[in-house]
Amino acid sequence: MATRDKIYFASDFHLGAHLHSKTCEREARIVSWLDSIKTNAAELYLMGDVFDFWFEYATVVPKGYVRFLGKLAELADMGVKITFFKGNHDMWMFGYLKDELGAAVIDNELIIERGGKTFYLHHGDGLGPGDSKYKFLKRIFRSRLCQWLFARLHPNLGIGIAQRWSAHSRIGSGGQETFLGEDNEWLVVYVKEILKKQHSDYFIFGHRHLPLDINLPNGSRYINLGEWINFSTYAVFDGKTLELKEWLK
């Protein structure tokens, strides 16, 4: 029997983005990756924008993704610890995933220590310089009043509005990201400011939609997990080293 000693990190599946057929193909690819790690994974961190939109009504969640959720349930039943981060597309997670999967749901950053290494984890939205418009919207969307008001809408209307909104996002409109240079990558700038105050060995984010592995001062590394529409990338920690990899099957 394989030893459960690996920690996996992935982000930005954006399930629900683009045509249904494209989502089904992407879901099948994700499920095949999850199936490949189920025997050696100790922990799985899904770091935001797993769904292109997610809102939990009292008795309703968005339909679809049953194979993905079923595979997560299988991993959870096998003892894999699952942690979800709220992204900018699926920030309205409440108790459903905790109740069904025993998953932890993280609002903002999480700092963990594994194998003598410190990990700073965050989806990545609303950090660093600039993007003041989104930072303002994020405060509104995460407010209890906004959530309460949205919950008053019938799911057909509320989810329909959200899906049309998502269609105009970076990932929904089909755009691909390019590297801006270390001095202009806002999450790298943010991490360097954090390092002036506290050390972490690894800073792992999603949101940027571009797989990146950048060496930082004092032996730290910045890892961006990319996304699963163009790249299918993830990171794995084996207790000693962290590696950014691509799922090619």
Side-chain angles (χ1 to χ4, degrees):
M1 180 176 290
T3 302
R4 293 193 176 280
D5 57 0
K6 291 182 171 57
I7 303 173
Y8 290 90
F9 306 86
S11 185
D12 293 83
F13 297 158
H14 284 277
L15 290 169
H18 303 149
L19 296 174
H20 178 71
S21 60
K22 293 292 186 181
T23 287
C24 289
E25 183 277 330
R26 187 160 65 257
E27 182 183 22
R29 190 166 7 108
I30 294 164
V31 167
S32 71
W33 171 67
L34 291 172
D35 197 57
S36 77
I37 72 172
K38 67 182 181 182
T39 58
N40 64 23
E43 299 180 66
L44 172 63
Y45 291 85
L46 300 176
M47 296 186 56
D49 288 357
V50 170
F51 307 101
D52 201 55
F53 172 73
W54 185 268
F55 187 90
E56 295 174 20
Y57 292 85
T59 57
V60 175
V61 296
K63 70 178 183 180
Y65 329 125
V66 293
R67 292 164 183 82
F68 169 68
L69 292 171
K71 182 57 65 174
L72 288 183
E74 180 184 349
L75 267 64
D77 290 345
M78 295 175 71
V80 180
K81 179 182 176 183
I82 300 172
T83 300
F84 279 85
F85 284 71
K86 294 181 180 180
N88 48 301
H89 282 253
D90 51 12
M91 65 178 70
W92 288 343
M93 294 180 179
F94 304 122
Y96 177 76
L97 297 169
K98 179 179 181 297
D99 293 341
E100 294 296 327
L101 302 173
V105 177
I106 307 300
D107 287 317
N108 294 297
E109 74 276 354
L110 177 67
I111 299 173
I112 62 173
E113 185 174 336
R114 300 289 188 272
K117 303 290 187 180
T118 305
F119 297 73
Y120 182 103
L121 311 175
H122 194 290
H123 176 61
D125 60 315
L127 303 180
D131 207 6
S132 56
K133 179 180 178 181
Y134 170 70
K135 291 174 182 176
F136 174 73
L137 288 174
K138 181 178 178 180
R139 288 196 296 271
I140 295 176
F141 289 158
R142 286 206 175 189
S143 72
R144 291 187 178 182
L145 176 60
C146 180
Q147 294 167 6
W148 183 87
L149 290 172
F150 193 89
R152 308 280 73 77
L153 299 176
H154 188 281
N156 287 350
L157 176 60
I159 293 174
I161 291 171
Q163 288 174 337
R164 284 192 290 274
W165 177 288
S166 291
H168 298 289
S169 68
R170 289 178 296 152
I171 206 77
S173 58
Q176 283 188 256
E177 300 293 335
T178 57
F179 183 55
L180 301 176
E182 189 171 322
D183 292 338
N184 295 313
E185 287 286 337
W186 65 90
L187 286 173
V188 177
V189 173
Y190 172 79
V191 163
K192 288 181 176 179
E193 289 300 313
I194 292 290
L195 278 172
K196 293 177 182 178
K197 304 171 186 176
Q198 65 185 64
H199 176 79
S200 287
D201 296 285
Y202 303 112
F203 293 86
I204 304 179
F205 300 88
H207 187 59
R208 180 67 180 87
H209 293 174
L210 191 66
L212 296 169
D213 186 349
I214 297 175
N215 291 323
L216 299 169
N218 300 318
S220 295
R221 284 165 62 192
Y222 162 82
I223 305 290
N224 198 282
L225 297 167
E227 40 83 356
W228 279 66
I229 291 176
N230 299 297
F231 299 107
S232 302
T233 42
Y234 64 96
V236 56
F237 180 68
D238 64 5
K240 295 181 180 179
T241 59
L242 181 75
E243 186 177 1
L244 186 63
K245 305 179 74 172
E246 184 176 9
W247 180 246
L248 297 174
K249 294 185 180 180

